[in-house]
Amino acid sequence: MSETSIHDADFDRALVTAALAEAAEHGWDRVSPFTAAKRAALPPERVRARFPRRGSILLALGRMADQAALTGVTDEGSTRDRLFDVLMRRIDALQATRAGVLAVLRSLPADPGTALLLACATERSMGWMLEAAGLSSTGLRGMLRTKGLVAVWLWTIRAWEKDESEDLSATMAALDTALGRAEQFARYLNTPPRPAAPPPETTEPVDNCE
């Protein structure tokens, strides 16, 4: 990685961290790239170049969470175990700015534009998580897998919002349950249909009136 890339990554992390701190204190609707730049003491002209819109902050947060999840990926364990690991690493990355992320999530019902932006970004991220676990995210089957993993992620995030434990035990339990259900559904989809039963044999009716 070039020195410029390293500096860009540090710059982006500082801006995103400042933006989420602002969101935790004042609400996401009060955050802008400029207010985050001011809080982080970053040059606004450079922030403008890298974060032209407020949504750019959330997209950068998602990329950083993806990078944390993808770091240290291995081929060991079952597919379910690998999915569990990458998704929990993604949760751990969000945990570092928990209060700010929760402020963003609380704002979504009144902010459909941001909700749509995050929905699209989450789908892209879940495609990466599938690939990291050894499952293809391409084609029709891959699209269905991605949609399924988005549902798993959203279920897990809802548990994480309420989980105030240090070890995130409730979040891990919710993720494990959701992956188990997804696994059962995938197994159901992959089960070939049973052949239709042959029609019952018929006999000529007996006419008892003769």
Side-chain angles (χ1 to χ4, degrees):
M1 182 180 295
S2 68
E3 184 176 351
T4 300
S5 297
I6 294 173
H7 289 168
D8 286 346
D10 291 341
F11 184 93
D12 291 356
R13 187 171 299 279
L15 191 283
V16 169
T17 300
L20 291 174
E22 282 284 306
E25 294 178 12
H26 307 295
W28 175 245
D29 61 321
R30 301 288 297 275
V31 176
S32 72
F34 186 85
T35 60
K38 186 175 180 180
R39 183 181 185 113
L42 296 172
E45 68 276 10
R46 189 176 176 198
V47 171
R48 170 63 179 84
R50 296 190 63 77
F51 295 87
R53 297 174 298 277
R54 187 176 63 159
S56 304
I57 299 170
L58 299 181
L59 294 179
L61 173 65
R63 287 193 299 271
M64 289 189 290
D66 288 348
Q67 288 165 359
L70 295 170
T71 300
V73 167
T74 70
D75 294 330
E76 298 178 0
S78 66
T79 300
R80 178 173 169 177
D81 290 341
R82 293 195 295 271
L83 281 173
F84 183 93
D85 287 343
V86 295
L87 292 178
M88 276 309 303
R89 283 200 293 272
R90 201 167 192 272
I91 289 285
D92 288 339
L94 298 181
Q95 182 73 3
T97 52
R98 177 183 175 86
V101 174
L102 293 180
V104 173
L105 294 177
R106 286 194 297 268
S107 76
L108 294 183
D111 190 352
T114 299
L116 179 60
L117 176 75
L118 288 182
C120 295
T122 298
E123 189 164 325
R124 289 193 297 269
S125 292
M126 292 305 106
W128 277 96
M129 300 303 104
L130 284 169
E131 297 283 350
L135 295 172
S136 173
S137 63
T138 61
L140 177 60
R141 189 179 293 271
M143 181 189 72
L144 293 174
R145 286 189 185 120
T146 302
K147 299 287 187 185
L149 197 60
V150 168
V152 168
W153 175 254
L154 294 178
W155 176 271
T156 306
I157 282 292
R158 282 195 289 269
W160 175 71
E161 288 182 79
K162 303 173 185 176
D163 188 356
E164 298 181 355
S165 64
E166 291 187 5
D167 61 356
L168 298 180
S169 55
T171 303
M172 289 191 287
L175 174 56
D176 188 60
T177 298
L179 286 173
R181 291 174 178 172
E183 192 174 49
Q184 291 175 357
F185 185 67
R187 191 179 302 120
Y188 169 78
L189 289 179
N190 290 328
T191 301
R194 295 180 180 178
E201 295 183 2
T202 58
T203 57
E204 292 294 329
V206 177
D207 188 352
N208 294 322
C209 296
E210 291 183 355

PDB file of all heavy atoms in Angstrom, residues 9 15 39 49 52 65-66 72 89 93 112 128-129 134 164 166 168:
ATOM      1  N   ALA A   9      -6.426   6.662   4.284  1.00  0.00           N
ATOM      2  CA  ALA A   9      -7.165   5.815   5.218  1.00  0.00           C
ATOM      3  C   ALA A   9      -7.232   6.459   6.595  1.00  0.00           C
ATOM      4  O   ALA A   9      -8.284   6.456   7.254  1.00  0.00           O
ATOM      5  CB  ALA A   9      -6.515   4.436   5.301  1.00  0.00           C
ATOM      6  N   LEU A  15     -12.192  11.483   9.976  1.00  0.00           N
ATOM      7  CA  LEU A  15     -13.415  12.198   9.614  1.00  0.00           C
ATOM      8  C   LEU A  15     -14.646  11.410  10.027  1.00  0.00           C
ATOM      9  O   LEU A  15     -15.594  11.961  10.602  1.00  0.00           O
ATOM     10  CB  LEU A  15     -13.405  12.474   8.112  1.00  0.00           C
ATOM     11  CG  LEU A  15     -14.444  13.445   7.503  1.00  0.00           C
ATOM     12  CD1 LEU A  15     -15.806  12.802   7.368  1.00  0.00           C
ATOM     13  CD2 LEU A  15     -14.524  14.729   8.305  1.00  0.00           C
ATOM     14  N   ARG A  39     -14.775  19.426  13.724  1.00  0.00           N
ATOM     15  CA  ARG A  39     -14.537  18.693  14.974  1.00  0.00           C
ATOM     16  C   ARG A  39     -13.196  17.971  14.933  1.00  0.00           C
ATOM     17  O   ARG A  39     -12.490  17.899  15.942  1.00  0.00           O
ATOM     18  CB  ARG A  39     -15.671  17.699  15.210  1.00  0.00           C
ATOM     19  CG  ARG A  39     -15.543  16.950  16.542  1.00  0.00           C
ATOM     20  CD  ARG A  39     -16.666  15.958  16.743  1.00  0.00           C
ATOM     21  NE  ARG A  39     -16.590  15.355  18.062  1.00  0.00           N
ATOM     22  CZ  ARG A  39     -17.479  15.533  19.027  1.00  0.00           C
ATOM     23  NH1 ARG A  39     -18.531  16.315  18.838  1.00  0.00           N
ATOM     24  NH2 ARG A  39     -17.326  14.935  20.202  1.00  0.00           N
ATOM     25  N   ALA A  49     -13.310  17.173  -1.057  1.00  0.00           N
ATOM     26  CA  ALA A  49     -12.881  16.323  -2.169  1.00  0.00           C
ATOM     27  C   ALA A  49     -13.181  14.852  -1.904  1.00  0.00           C
ATOM     28  O   ALA A  49     -13.530  14.111  -2.826  1.00  0.00           O
ATOM     29  CB  ALA A  49     -11.386  16.520  -2.416  1.00  0.00           C
ATOM     30  N   PRO A  52     -18.012  14.417  -0.547  1.00  0.00           N
ATOM     31  CA  PRO A  52     -18.848  15.476  -1.134  1.00  0.00           C
ATOM     32  C   PRO A  52     -20.251  15.546  -0.547  1.00  0.00           C
ATOM     33  O   PRO A  52     -20.890  16.592  -0.582  1.00  0.00           O
ATOM     34  CB  PRO A  52     -18.897  15.110  -2.616  1.00  0.00           C
ATOM     35  CG  PRO A  52     -18.616  13.644  -2.664  1.00  0.00           C
ATOM     36  CD  PRO A  52     -17.665  13.377  -1.530  1.00  0.00           C
ATOM     37  N   ALA A  65     -15.762  -1.094   7.896  1.00  0.00           N
ATOM     38  CA  ALA A  65     -16.284  -2.289   8.561  1.00  0.00           C
ATOM     39  C   ALA A  65     -16.022  -3.528   7.711  1.00  0.00           C
ATOM     40  O   ALA A  65     -15.674  -4.601   8.238  1.00  0.00           O
ATOM     41  CB  ALA A  65     -17.780  -2.121   8.823  1.00  0.00           C
ATOM     42  N   ASP A  66     -16.178  -3.401   6.401  1.00  0.00           N
ATOM     43  CA  ASP A  66     -15.884  -4.526   5.503  1.00  0.00           C
ATOM     44  C   ASP A  66     -14.412  -4.920   5.582  1.00  0.00           C
ATOM     45  O   ASP A  66     -14.070  -6.108   5.628  1.00  0.00           O
ATOM     46  CB  ASP A  66     -16.228  -4.161   4.054  1.00  0.00           C
ATOM     47  CG  ASP A  66     -17.721  -4.083   3.808  1.00  0.00           C
ATOM     48  OD1 ASP A  66     -18.497  -4.526   4.674  1.00  0.00           O
ATOM     49  OD2 ASP A  66     -18.114  -3.555   2.747  1.00  0.00           O
ATOM     50  N   GLY A  72      -7.840 -11.176   7.894  1.00  0.00           N
ATOM     51  CA  GLY A  72      -7.625 -12.441   8.585  1.00  0.00           C
ATOM     52  C   GLY A  72      -8.553 -13.567   8.163  1.00  0.00           C
ATOM     53  O   GLY A  72      -8.671 -14.570   8.868  1.00  0.00           O
ATOM     54  N   ARG A  89     -16.870  -9.830  13.099  1.00  0.00           N
ATOM     55  CA  ARG A  89     -15.801  -8.841  12.968  1.00  0.00           C
ATOM     56  C   ARG A  89     -16.363  -7.517  12.452  1.00  0.00           C
ATOM     57  O   ARG A  89     -15.902  -6.437  12.842  1.00  0.00           O
ATOM     58  CB  ARG A  89     -14.689  -9.356  12.043  1.00  0.00           C
ATOM     59  CG  ARG A  89     -13.774 -10.364  12.718  1.00  0.00           C
ATOM     60  CD  ARG A  89     -12.444 -10.480  11.986  1.00  0.00           C
ATOM     61  NE  ARG A  89     -12.578 -11.070  10.672  1.00  0.00           N
ATOM     62  CZ  ARG A  89     -12.532 -12.377  10.424  1.00  0.00           C
ATOM     63  NH1 ARG A  89     -12.357 -13.239  11.426  1.00  0.00           N
ATOM     64  NH2 ARG A  89     -12.652 -12.833   9.193  1.00  0.00           N
ATOM     65  N   ALA A  93     -16.311  -3.879  14.458  1.00  0.00           N
ATOM     66  CA  ALA A  93     -15.858  -2.614  13.876  1.00  0.00           C
ATOM     67  C   ALA A  93     -16.862  -1.504  14.156  1.00  0.00           C
ATOM     68  O   ALA A  93     -16.474  -0.358  14.441  1.00  0.00           O
ATOM     69  CB  ALA A  93     -15.637  -2.773  12.375  1.00  0.00           C
ATOM     70  N   PRO A 112     -35.635   8.597   4.467  1.00  0.00           N
ATOM     71  CA  PRO A 112     -35.682   7.506   3.485  1.00  0.00           C
ATOM     72  C   PRO A 112     -34.498   7.505   2.534  1.00  0.00           C
ATOM     73  O   PRO A 112     -34.090   6.447   2.056  1.00  0.00           O
ATOM     74  CB  PRO A 112     -37.001   7.738   2.745  1.00  0.00           C
ATOM     75  CG  PRO A 112     -37.351   9.175   3.009  1.00  0.00           C
ATOM     76  CD  PRO A 112     -36.804   9.488   4.361  1.00  0.00           C
ATOM     77  N   TRP A 128     -19.665  -9.344  -0.396  1.00  0.00           N
ATOM     78  CA  TRP A 128     -18.269  -9.558  -0.003  1.00  0.00           C
ATOM     79  C   TRP A 128     -18.160 -10.571   1.131  1.00  0.00           C
ATOM     80  O   TRP A 128     -17.236 -11.403   1.155  1.00  0.00           O
ATOM     81  CB  TRP A 128     -17.645  -8.223   0.416  1.00  0.00           C
ATOM     82  CG  TRP A 128     -17.145  -7.413  -0.724  1.00  0.00           C
ATOM     83  CD1 TRP A 128     -17.791  -6.401  -1.367  1.00  0.00           C
ATOM     84  CD2 TRP A 128     -15.878  -7.561  -1.375  1.00  0.00           C
ATOM     85  NE1 TRP A 128     -17.006  -5.908  -2.383  1.00  0.00           N
ATOM     86  CE2 TRP A 128     -15.829  -6.589  -2.405  1.00  0.00           C
ATOM     87  CE3 TRP A 128     -14.788  -8.402  -1.190  1.00  0.00           C
ATOM     88  CZ2 TRP A 128     -14.725  -6.449  -3.248  1.00  0.00           C
ATOM     89  CZ3 TRP A 128     -13.687  -8.257  -2.031  1.00  0.00           C
ATOM     90  CH2 TRP A 128     -13.658  -7.301  -3.035  1.00  0.00           C
ATOM     91  N   MET A 129     -19.082 -10.514   2.084  1.00  0.00           N
ATOM     92  CA  MET A 129     -19.031 -11.457   3.200  1.00  0.00           C
ATOM     93  C   MET A 129     -19.241 -12.893   2.709  1.00  0.00           C
ATOM     94  O   MET A 129     -18.592 -13.833   3.183  1.00  0.00           O
ATOM     95  CB  MET A 129     -20.091 -11.112   4.254  1.00  0.00           C
ATOM     96  CG  MET A 129     -19.965  -9.724   4.880  1.00  0.00           C
ATOM     97  SD  MET A 129     -18.382  -9.364   5.672  1.00  0.00           S
ATOM     98  CE  MET A 129     -17.617  -8.270   4.439  1.00  0.00           C
ATOM     99  N   GLY A 134     -16.483 -18.250   1.212  1.00  0.00           N
ATOM    100  CA  GLY A 134     -16.356 -19.308   0.222  1.00  0.00           C
ATOM    101  C   GLY A 134     -17.603 -19.570  -0.587  1.00  0.00           C
ATOM    102  O   GLY A 134     -17.715 -20.609  -1.247  1.00  0.00           O
ATOM    103  N   GLU A 164     -26.176  -4.463  25.456  1.00  0.00           N
ATOM    104  CA  GLU A 164     -25.237  -3.588  26.153  1.00  0.00           C
ATOM    105  C   GLU A 164     -24.170  -4.372  26.916  1.00  0.00           C
ATOM    106  O   GLU A 164     -23.423  -3.799  27.699  1.00  0.00           O
ATOM    107  CB  GLU A 164     -25.999  -2.670  27.107  1.00  0.00           C
ATOM    108  CG  GLU A 164     -26.990  -1.744  26.384  1.00  0.00           C
ATOM    109  CD  GLU A 164     -27.719  -0.822  27.328  1.00  0.00           C
ATOM    110  OE1 GLU A 164     -27.531  -0.964  28.566  1.00  0.00           O
ATOM    111  OE2 GLU A 164     -28.481   0.044  26.846  1.00  0.00           O
ATOM    112  N   GLU A 166     -20.685  -6.461  27.524  1.00  0.00           N
ATOM    113  CA  GLU A 166     -19.322  -6.239  27.041  1.00  0.00           C
ATOM    114  C   GLU A 166     -18.913  -7.271  25.996  1.00  0.00           C
ATOM    115  O   GLU A 166     -18.164  -6.965  25.066  1.00  0.00           O
ATOM    116  CB  GLU A 166     -18.341  -6.264  28.213  1.00  0.00           C
ATOM    117  CG  GLU A 166     -18.479  -5.069  29.155  1.00  0.00           C
ATOM    118  CD  GLU A 166     -17.398  -5.038  30.201  1.00  0.00           C
ATOM    119  OE1 GLU A 166     -16.479  -5.902  30.143  1.00  0.00           O
ATOM    120  OE2 GLU A 166     -17.449  -4.170  31.079  1.00  0.00           O
ATOM    121  N   LEU A 168     -20.999  -8.912  23.999  1.00  0.00           N
ATOM    122  CA  LEU A 168     -21.991  -8.990  22.922  1.00  0.00           C
ATOM    123  C   LEU A 168     -22.584 -10.393  22.787  1.00  0.00           C
ATOM    124  O   LEU A 168     -22.826 -10.885  21.683  1.00  0.00           O
ATOM    125  CB  LEU A 168     -21.366  -8.551  21.585  1.00  0.00           C
ATOM    126  CG  LEU A 168     -20.865  -7.098  21.515  1.00  0.00           C
ATOM    127  CD1 LEU A 168     -20.273  -6.809  20.138  1.00  0.00           C
ATOM    128  CD2 LEU A 168     -21.973  -6.108  21.833  1.00  0.00           C
TER     129      LEU A 168
END
